[in-house]
Structures are given as structure tokens and as C-alpha cells.
Amino acid sequence: MPTYVYQCSACNNTFEVEQRITADPLDTCECGSTGTVKRVIQRVAVSFKGSGFHINDYAGSGSEPKVEAKAETPAEPALAPPAPVASE
């Protein structure tokens, strides 16, 4: 079950509660005030483990990722402008 952090604006108390995702947010503080509790948004730590993640497959210890050099292709010749048509 996820742990949610709540803060009461009446007593400025911050507390954590384990709740189901489908449960309604709390509105009563431990100090007894009703309607003064709000859920605090917390950062989530994400850890990518295992193969298949770019950070794990290509990040080395101080090494740069390998970049393949593209073969140079000769520049295409510029097209000549069309010849003017002589009018009589």
C-alpha cells in the first residue's frame, strides 16, 4: 500500500498514513480539527535496474558512448539553370 503524507493547517503537524489508492483522502487531523488536512505531494524515487534501459546499457564509468562515424558522400552537382528560350 502506498504511504501518503498529510499536513494540518491548524496545528502545522505533518504525518504519514498508509492507504489504498482507492481510499478517500483524510480530512481530520490527529489534533481533532476537521477540514484542515491536505495531502502533500512528494517526489518519487525511480530506479532503473536491469538491461534494456539506456542509462544502464550505455552509461559507463566516465566513458563517452560510442558514436559511429558516417561515411562522407560526395556532394551532388548543382543543377544548371534552364537555358533561355530565344523568341523571334
Side-chain angles (χ1 to χ4, degrees), residues 3-7 14-17 38-42:
T3 302
Y4 294 103
V5 177
Y6 288 92
Q7 184 172 16
T14 303
F15 56 96
E16 296 179 351
V17 177
K38 290 192 178 184
R39 189 180 289 172
V40 179
I41 304 297
Q42 297 287 315

Side-chain angles (χ1 to χ4, degrees), residues 19-77:
Q19 288 182 301
R20 291 188 181 272
I21 293 174
T22 57
D24 293 330
L26 298 180
D27 62 349
T28 304
C29 180
E30 297 168 346
C31 70
S33 62
T34 303
T36 59
V37 177
K38 290 192 178 184
R39 189 180 289 172
V40 179
I41 304 297
Q42 297 287 315
R43 287 186 160 189
V44 178
V46 178
S47 177
F48 297 104
K49 295 182 179 181
S51 64
F53 295 104
H54 177 76
I55 194 167
N56 295 340
D57 292 341
Y58 297 105
S61 57
S63 64
E64 294 292 322
K66 293 182 180 179
V67 178
E68 294 182 23
K70 292 184 178 180
E72 290 186 27
T73 57
E76 293 185 25

